[in-house]
């Protein structure tokens, strides 16, 4: 059973930054795509960012990434497979970024944004951005 534990949420003023972390259990972390989703009060959960697995046969420094338009240019997803951890660096935060942020592990190693493609979820961490 895979467990995902998010941390790093909190209260920040608009324009500020936060870094979320998600620690995963299990030995196969590196072979799966990881994603971040969020759910604001009264709204459905939505995709934020995803990072694919890192192919051992290709010498790039990190997996492929993809972002929701609403966070592109402000948020950065990254992963450290040695630590079984995925990160979400959030800069220039806006009040509309206020939500519970969830880390999730995909069923595969490729880029995917659909919730149904993620089969393991963390418990969520609250991010509140004040104006």
């Amino acid at each position: 059973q895979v467990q995902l534990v998010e941390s790093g949420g909190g209260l920040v003023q608009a324009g500020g930054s936060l870094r979320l972390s998600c620690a995963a259990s299990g030995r196969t972390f590196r072979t799966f795509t990881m994603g971040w989703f969020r759910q604001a009060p009264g709204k459905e959960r939505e995709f934020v960012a995803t990072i694919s697995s890192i192919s051992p046969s290709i010498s790039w420094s990190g997996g492929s990434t993809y972002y929701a338009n609403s966070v592109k240019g402000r948020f950065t997803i990254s992963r450290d497979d040695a630590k079984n951890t995925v990160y979400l660096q959030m800069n220039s935060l806006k009040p509309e970024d206020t939500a519970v942020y969830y880390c999730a592990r995909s069923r595969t190693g490729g880029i995917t944004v659909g919730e149904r493609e993620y089969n393991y979820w963390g418990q969520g961490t609250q991010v509140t951005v004040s104006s």
Side-chain angles (χ1 to χ4, degrees):
Q1 185 73 8
V2 173
Q3 291 187 327
L4 303 175
V5 180
E6 302 100 333
S7 60
L11 174 64
V12 63
Q13 288 188 332
S17 298
L18 282 175
R19 188 195 196 201
L20 304 183
S21 299
C22 172
S25 65
R27 300 181 179 179
T28 58
F29 176 81
R30 65 177 62 247
T31 63
F32 293 97
T33 290
M34 299 296 296
W36 287 96
F37 292 76
R38 67 185 181 186
Q39 187 168 22
K43 295 186 177 181
E44 293 186 352
R45 189 158 58 187
E46 64 176 6
F47 165 78
V48 175
T50 184
I51 184 166
S52 69
S53 63
I54 299 173
S55 171
S57 63
I58 301 176
S59 59
W60 13 285
S61 58
S64 297
T65 59
Y66 187 79
Y67 299 91
N69 287 336
S70 58
V71 306
K72 199 173 295 183
R74 299 188 298 121
F75 290 11
T76 302
I77 188 171
S78 61
R79 64 190 298 159
D80 185 339
D81 289 343
K83 296 182 178 179
N84 275 21
T85 301
V86 62
Y87 304 97
L88 185 67
Q89 177 67 44
M90 304 186 296
N91 299 329
S92 302
L93 282 162
K94 305 175 181 180
E96 51 264 43
D97 294 318
T98 295
V100 177
Y101 282 72
Y102 297 92
C103 167
R105 197 197 81 171
S106 173
R107 303 174 191 274
T108 67
I111 288 290
T112 182
V113 304
E115 277 195 47
R116 294 183 178 181
E117 297 304 312
Y118 292 81
N119 55 343
Y120 290 102
W121 294 81
Q123 82 289 349
T125 185
Q126 177 70 47
V127 171
T128 303
V129 184
S130 63
S131 56

